[in-house]
Amino acid sequence: MLLSFAQPRLLPRLPSPATATATTARPRAPRRALSSAAKTAAAGRLRAVVSERAVEGMAPAAAGQEGRPLRVGLVCGGPSAERGISLNSARSVLDHIQGEDLLVSCYYIDCGMNAFAISPAQLYSNTPSDFDFKLESLAQEFSTLSEFAEHLAANVDIVFPVIHGKFGEDGGIQELLEKANVPFVGTPSNECLRAFDKHNASLELDAQGFLTVPNFLVEKDKLATSELEEWFRSINLNKENGKVIVKPTRAGSSIGVVVAYGANEAAEKAEGIFSEGIDNKVIIEVFLEGGCEFTAIVLDVGTANNSEPIVLLPTEVELQSSISSDIQEDTIFNYRRKYLPTQQVAYHTPPRFPAEVIDCIRKGVSLLFRHFGLRDFARIDGWFLPSPATSLPSSENGVKFGNTEYGAVLFTDINLISGMEQTSFLFQQASKVGFSHSRILRTIVQHACSRFPSLVTSNNAWTALSRKMQSAKQALIIPNGTCKQKAFVIFGGDTSERQVSLMSGTNVWLNLQGFDDLDVTPCLLAPSNGYSSHNEDFSESSRDVWTLPYSLVLRHTTEEVHAACFEAIEPERVEITSRLRNQVMKELERALSKQDWFAGFDITDEQPIKYSLQQWIDYVKEAKAVVFIAVHGGIGEDGTIQSLLESAGVPYTGPGPIASRTCMDKVATSLAVDHLASYGIHTIPKDVRAREELLKSSLVDIWNDLKAKLQTETVCVKPARDGCSTGVARLRCPEDLEVYANALRGTLPRLPANCLSKAHGVIEMPVPPPESLIFEPFIETDEIIISNKSWNDSTRHLVWKGENEWLEVTVGVVGKRGEMHSLNPSITVKESGDILSLEEKFQGGTGINLTPPPATIMSEDALQKCKSCIEMTANTLGLEGFSRIDAFVNVHSGEVLLIEVNTVPGMTPSTVLIHQALTEEPPIYPHKFFRTLLDLAFARAG
């Protein structure tokens, strides 16, 4: 059955496109000429997309109006494998620059190089495939890139490109904008082209007297193994097992970066990069054994086109080898370590290098920025190789730039459009020297505007409006003696969900930061004693809570945040960081004070403070604050924290202690709603087993017993007290159960892809293993697949077999106790396996989200019945504030089969709760959604 995608209500003013549009790679079907009426309609739809200001309720002002907002065109996507990171970057930029004084219009370029005008709401799509699929019904396509550029010239003041890799950093988008005379943020096209190619940049660095990493260029279809072997010999590297790095010359985000041993394996890895289509040129570099990787953000603070680069505090990237037997990885900064939570990487800003080495890094980065003609901002990566530098050939010239008393500094990669995700290096380093996310991004935009004579008037008008609005806000606060309402966002803990908790808490904190009447403090719930998924020995005096300064939150793991707290209060480290911070801030202030538009620094230098959990609660009570709970699992979701806060009279988000405790126990949840079957609410049979039973008993006997008790051929196993998809797997036979049990026995952090009897993706496992596990019948659902396009049909379809009646949905509920409101359910089309992965749930990587379910799959009556059942479930369980309910829904009747209830659901930037809030009428954007949840906590306290 082919199903057209029903348009979600993200754009209430935008009709579905009258003509079909293509969104995937060429070849494309011939375009039909539009009639004049069709052209007029298309223009109207385009204006609707561009002018939509659901966030602020404003329309762009006339060009000559005094004190008018600046119009910024945010362009993301692109043809490279980095477009998922581009979407995350664009979402972050949108969150932090938009406002009444700055209007953002959003645009997307797909992998086929087709440009679209999109709604800001679309940026909150979870993944590139999710995004691409919805373009046909939610976006307006431009017929050519030239038409796109002409549109930008007429409708925005300046473009902020956030396309990473091909077409974003190789000069492609810049050349398009230059030809149309459209001002843009960042480096011009020729300079991008020159700096983006790693091999060419390396040659130029060498010619300019910089130390460089010995490398060898391999081009597609031109690989000569004999020449590669000769290169190995020339640098005294064993051609049989010499260790090298193989990477694309023109790609970023560590995509395609691998380690190889010897010339033959290096050649094979190069061919792999070619076959995957990542690049047609590969660079093979010596592996810098014993080296420390670093990265540095550089900010251009010059006037007009007089570049004056100032390098912020560099970051040391500390890598650690995995000790798990199931994961054989070399210590390289690969894609997973860069973008997903992992304990295999930690960041130190500034680096733990000698002062002379840090000075050398900052000086070198500044020289490179000037030499390559870069503009506005960039990120430059490199290595510090402590003496003696045995990885470098002895023939290296000792007088080259980079030689220091303590070792060698080498620069390897120039990033023209650095990643701008919430915890990216840009924000980590900027926050260390006084810039919030918003302030650093706006500083970059304002500097870019100052470089274009045509934008002088617009920039002045924007500056005037910004100051006027800021003065008005201050006038409201000061005369009335109004104090900001204090709020504390707590995250972390010690369950397997702690990394998602960090992502959730960071996202909530950053979104609430934008409210002038709030004073929001991020807080880390530290681990008790090691990491445990249960809390039999819990004591509020045994748990610590750290209040965190801005910069310490911006990490990838709770372990890293925790370690950074101790590092931040270590006296020697405090002295070094303070001295370097003051040095950089003085340099910035000296230059930026010359700019009329500079608004100053907005982040103060603070230290983390440690409290016991009870001391922290007392502190929160004294501050008359509200607590936003973002601790997933453990004491954050079993009613413990809720009980402590309630006893102290401190308002908090989410359900109370009893409801939390009930929902934490999946068996208790089923029992609490078991009487609702007549209303269309059903539960799944469960069998609970202790982990020790699995490790000591006959697995064949256990398997046969499970099949008999649950009356099923395949079983779903999950930890009894963990969520976020950790440890959830489908088992089909005793051998599968054995693989799972061995993972528990070996305390493996993850099950490798395809280790069970049927193909599946990587399964994250709870560490340490859970004390008990739940076994359920695996519910067969209808598979939904996205169809490929035929040559004569540019419309993409959902292919739904319709053999079964059940689909898995997840639904957010919001409101007061007894009055919970169901948001629109979401269906996620899985890209691999039977269980949603951690990445599919929380990180922009895979999966297509359908919110609400298309009408061709579920009728409006069934949808409303489903929402009614969800609301009844929520009210029966005593939920309040907000929660998320996972269930199977019968597509014909709307009846539900309850899976579980999450009383502290994921609140990451790509969570389905955001999608669901955006389908409300009117759309609720993230910052207003989280504020609503906070206000519900206040209302309950009142």
Side-chain angles (χ1 to χ4, degrees):
M1 182 184 304
L2 292 181
L3 307 166
S4 299
F5 178 60
Q7 179 185 339
R9 293 176 290 176
L10 296 187
L11 284 173
R13 296 192 298 277
L14 177 65
S16 297
T19 56
T21 56
T23 59
T24 52
R26 295 185 177 96
R28 298 168 58 82
R31 295 184 181 276
R32 297 176 180 176
L34 294 178
S35 66
S36 58
K39 288 180 179 178
T40 301
R45 290 194 302 273
L46 183 56
R47 284 192 295 272
V49 178
V50 174
S51 65
E52 190 214 357
R53 295 301 303 163
V55 179
E56 305 297 340
M58 296 181 65
Q65 183 178 341
E66 183 180 354
R68 76 162 176 87
L70 187 75
R71 301 170 303 166
V72 176
L74 187 62
V75 183
C76 62
S80 81
E82 300 173 70
R83 64 185 178 278
I85 304 303
S86 173
L87 286 178
N88 293 341
S89 291
R91 184 189 303 128
S92 179
V93 172
L94 176 66
D95 280 344
H96 295 294
I97 68 170
Q98 66 183 345
E100 294 178 8
D101 62 331
L102 194 153
L103 304 182
V104 181
S105 298
C106 301
Y107 304 90
Y108 178 73
I109 295 177
D110 71 5
C111 58
M113 296 296 290
N114 308 299
F116 298 82
I118 61 174
S119 159
Q122 283 181 263
L123 283 183
Y124 297 95
S125 291
N126 188 31
T127 67
S129 51
D130 183 23
F131 198 95
D132 290 342
F133 177 64
K134 295 172 182 175
L135 284 173
E136 294 168 356
S137 51
L138 298 180
Q140 177 60 46
E141 183 179 5
F142 297 93
S143 60
T144 65
L145 288 177
S146 295
E147 183 191 26
F148 170 51
E150 291 170 5
H151 164 84
L152 292 173
N155 289 277
V156 304
D157 298 315
I158 191 168
V159 166
F160 197 143
V162 287
I163 299 175
H164 304 307
K166 187 177 180 182
F167 196 65
E169 296 179 86
D170 61 3
I173 183 70
Q174 292 81 5
E175 183 180 12
L176 178 71
L177 297 172
E178 287 165 354
K179 288 181 178 178
N181 294 316
V182 179
F184 59 88
V185 174
T187 299
S189 60
N190 287 337
E191 286 75 10
C192 283
L193 185 63
R194 186 169 157 223
F196 183 61
D197 187 298
K198 294 179 178 65
H199 182 254
N200 291 342
S202 176
L203 294 177
E204 190 152 351
L205 283 173
D206 184 63
Q208 293 298 318
F210 285 82
L211 280 176
T212 57
V213 183
N215 61 71
F216 182 85
L217 179 67
V218 178
E219 297 186 71
K220 187 177 182 180
D221 300 327
K222 295 182 181 180
L223 175 59
T225 305
S226 59
E227 293 179 8
L228 181 56
E229 291 177 350
E230 176 56 35
W231 176 75
F232 268 73
R233 282 192 291 270
S234 71
I235 58 172
N236 300 318
L237 202 59
N238 189 310
K239 71 173 185 177
E240 302 298 330
N241 57 15
K243 192 173 182 180
V244 294
I245 295 286
V246 184
K247 59 186 179 182
T249 63
R250 295 166 297 189
S253 299
S254 300
I255 289 174
V257 179
V258 291
V259 170
Y261 295 86
N264 287 337
E265 186 173 276
E268 291 174 5
K269 296 290 179 70
E271 289 292 354
I273 292 173
F274 296 146
S275 64
E276 290 179 38
I278 298 174
D279 200 354
N280 56 16
K281 291 169 65 179
V282 166
I283 189 171
I284 300 173
E285 294 179 342
V286 171
F287 187 95
L288 298 177
E289 205 72 63
C292 301
E293 195 166 358
F294 67 80
T295 186
I297 296 292
V298 55
L299 199 62
D300 189 357
V301 296
T303 56
N305 279 308
N306 298 318
S307 176
E308 186 178 344
I310 292 180
V311 182
L312 307 186
L313 295 184
T315 298
E316 173 193 353
V317 180
E318 180 188 12
L319 298 176
Q320 301 171 353
S321 299
S322 170
I323 59 174
S324 299
S325 59
D326 73 314
I327 306 170
Q328 300 298 325
E329 293 182 296
D330 283 285
T331 49
I332 60 172
F333 196 36
N334 58 23
Y335 182 90
R336 185 178 184 87
R337 287 187 174 117
K338 185 172 284 189
Y339 294 111
L340 291 175
T342 170
Q343 295 182 49
Q344 296 172 8
V345 63
Y347 305 115
H348 305 276
T349 308
R352 300 166 301 174
F353 303 158
E356 180 188 340
V357 173
I358 296 175
D359 289 343
C360 180
I361 290 171
R362 295 189 68 234
K363 181 179 179 182
V365 169
S366 180
L367 288 171
L368 290 181
F369 192 93
R370 287 182 186 273
H371 175 74
F372 281 95
L374 310 187
R375 292 291 181 268
D376 299 329
F377 79 117
R379 196 188 85 233
I380 296 177
D381 305 335
W383 289 79
F384 168 54
L385 206 57
S387 299
T390 56
S391 298
L392 292 178
S394 57
S395 59
E396 281 291 348
N397 191 337
V399 299
K400 284 198 169 186
F401 184 91
N403 279 305
T404 74
E405 177 186 349
Y406 302 96
V409 173
L410 305 97
F411 301 101
T412 56
D413 295 271
I414 300 174
N415 302 271
L416 287 312
I417 301 178
S418 178
M420 285 166 271
E421 294 182 299
Q422 287 182 340
T423 58
S424 67
F425 292 121
L426 172 64
F427 301 126
Q428 286 184 32
Q429 295 181 24
S431 64
K432 281 288 188 181
V433 293
F435 291 107
S436 66
H437 286 62
S438 176
R439 188 60 54 86
I440 188 64
L441 288 171
R442 283 173 166 246
T443 296
I444 289 169
V445 171
Q446 285 171 308
H447 182 270
C449 288
S450 72
R451 294 191 294 105
F452 294 93
S454 62
L455 288 183
V456 171
T457 302
S458 298
N459 200 21
N460 290 341
W462 174 33
T463 301
L465 178 60
S466 298
R467 288 178 175 170
K468 183 178 180 181
M469 290 173 56
Q470 191 60 37
S471 297
K473 290 176 181 177
Q474 292 298 324
L476 287 174
I477 295 174
I478 297 173
N480 298 329
T482 306
C483 293
K484 291 187 175 184
Q485 171 63 53
K486 289 187 178 294
F488 291 80
V489 179
I490 187 168
F491 48 82
D494 52 10
T495 73
S496 61
E497 303 170 67
R498 60 190 178 274
Q499 313 308 357
V500 176
S501 172
L502 174 59
M503 295 163 65
S504 292
T506 301
N507 188 45
V508 171
W509 163 63
L510 286 172
N511 272 281
L512 293 178
Q513 282 278 329
F515 290 94
D516 295 307
D517 61 333
L518 292 179
D519 179 5
V520 190
T521 302
C523 304
L524 173 73
L525 175 64
S528 50
N529 182 19
Y531 289 96
S532 169
S533 58
H534 52 93
N535 65 328
E536 284 84 349
D537 301 322
F538 170 78
S539 166
E540 56 265 33
S541 61
S542 68
R543 300 302 299 268
D544 293 331
V545 178
W546 292 79
T547 56
L548 304 173
Y550 197 111
S551 63
L552 284 197
V553 186
L554 307 180
R555 299 292 191 275
H556 285 88
T557 67
T558 54
E559 291 82 358
E560 190 189 349
V561 176
H562 195 214
C565 288
F566 288 101
E567 183 178 311
I569 59 176
E570 197 276 318
E572 184 178 352
R573 187 68 175 162
V574 170
E575 190 278 326
I576 293 171
T577 301
S578 179
R579 175 172 53 82
L580 291 172
R581 171 190 165 93
N582 291 338
Q583 175 188 338
V584 174
M585 290 185 72
K586 284 179 182 178
E587 294 174 12
L588 289 166
E589 191 168 22
R590 189 182 307 118
L592 289 172
S593 61
K594 302 173 186 176
Q595 308 281 9
D596 291 340
W597 44 260
F598 181 55
F601 302 110
D602 60 345
I603 298 296
T604 57
D605 186 18
E606 299 175 343
Q607 286 191 320
I609 301 175
K610 183 173 75 170
Y611 301 86
S612 71
L613 179 55
Q614 187 58 57
Q615 288 173 334
W616 178 77
I617 291 173
D618 293 341
Y619 171 53
V620 171
K621 180 179 181 179
E622 185 179 347
K624 299 180 180 178
V626 65
V627 173
F628 199 119
I629 301 175
V631 178
H632 302 314
I635 68 170
E637 210 162 349
D638 68 0
T640 301
I641 288 182
Q642 290 82 357
S643 292
L644 293 171
L645 292 172
E646 201 155 285
S647 296
V650 175
Y652 57 89
T653 56
I658 296 175
S660 297
R661 194 174 302 118
T662 300
C663 294
M664 184 70 168
D665 185 329
K666 297 179 177 68
V667 175
T669 306
S670 293
L671 292 174
V673 298
D674 199 42
H675 63 289
L676 300 178
S678 61
Y679 296 96
I681 300 168
H682 309 279
T683 59
I684 304 173
K686 292 175 172 58
D687 189 75
V688 182
R689 305 266 173 157
R691 183 188 74 212
E692 288 304 310
E693 180 185 356
L694 265 67
L695 300 183
K696 295 179 179 179
S697 304
S698 165
L699 294 179
V700 173
D701 290 345
I702 291 176
W703 179 258
N704 290 332
D705 191 40
L706 287 172
K707 286 177 59 179
K709 284 186 176 180
L710 300 176
Q711 298 183 347
T712 184
E713 291 298 316
T714 61
V715 171
C716 180
V717 59
K718 62 183 71 172
R721 293 170 60 87
D722 279 288
C724 299
S725 295
T726 52
V728 182
R730 181 180 185 179
L731 309 179
R732 292 175 172 80
C733 57
E735 291 75 19
D736 284 350
L737 182 59
E738 182 179 6
V739 170
Y740 194 91
N742 287 337
L744 296 175
R745 181 179 291 108
T747 320
L748 300 186
R750 66 187 67 94
L751 283 175
N754 305 323
C755 67
L756 301 176
S757 57
K758 185 180 177 183
H760 62 86
V762 172
I763 298 173
E764 302 289 336
M765 296 293 288
V767 177
E771 292 297 312
S772 57
L773 298 116
I774 292 176
F775 294 87
E776 301 172 342
F778 184 86
I779 306 299
E780 294 286 351
T781 59
D782 288 315
E783 185 177 22
I784 303 175
I785 301 172
I786 307 303
S787 71
N788 293 321
K789 294 181 181 181
S790 59
W791 70 272
N792 61 349
D793 182 5
S794 61
T795 303
R796 302 186 77 187
H797 301 281
L798 292 175
V799 179
W800 178 50
K801 295 180 180 179
E803 295 174 354
N804 300 294
E805 297 182 337
W806 298 92
L807 286 175
E808 185 174 348
V809 295
T810 186
V811 195
V813 288
V814 180
K816 298 179 180 179
R817 185 172 181 177
E819 303 175 12
M820 296 298 282
H821 165 69
S822 171
L823 302 176
N824 277 312
S826 298
I827 299 174
T828 297
V829 182
K830 299 181 290 290
E831 291 195 344
S832 64
D834 300 301
I835 308 294
L836 287 180
S837 68
L838 180 73
E839 287 91 338
E840 283 175 322
K841 272 195 173 183
F842 300 108
Q843 185 78 12
T846 56
I848 291 175
N849 176 272
L850 308 177
T851 307
T856 41
I857 291 180
M858 184 185 296
S859 69
E860 181 64 22
D861 287 345
L863 176 64
Q864 294 306 319
K865 172 63 176 178
C866 171
K867 294 172 72 172
S868 175
C869 288
I870 293 295
E871 290 174 352
M872 181 177 290
T873 300
N875 292 327
T876 300
L877 291 168
L879 302 183
E880 54 190 312
F882 76 116
S883 295
R884 195 190 78 227
I885 297 177
D886 298 337
F888 297 102
V889 61
N890 186 295
V891 296
H892 301 303
S893 68
E895 295 187 0
V896 299
L897 188 57
L898 185 64
I899 300 174
E900 63 182 11
V901 179
N902 299 273
T903 54
V904 184
M907 291 165 277
T908 67
S910 56
T911 182
V912 293
L913 285 182
I914 300 300
H915 306 173
Q916 293 172 10
L918 286 166
T919 64
E920 292 292 292
E921 295 283 6
I924 305 173
Y925 279 76
H927 67 291
K928 291 187 177 179
F929 178 68
F930 294 128
R931 180 59 188 263
T932 298
L933 304 184
L934 204 65
D935 290 343
L936 282 169
F938 278 123
R940 180 171 65 187

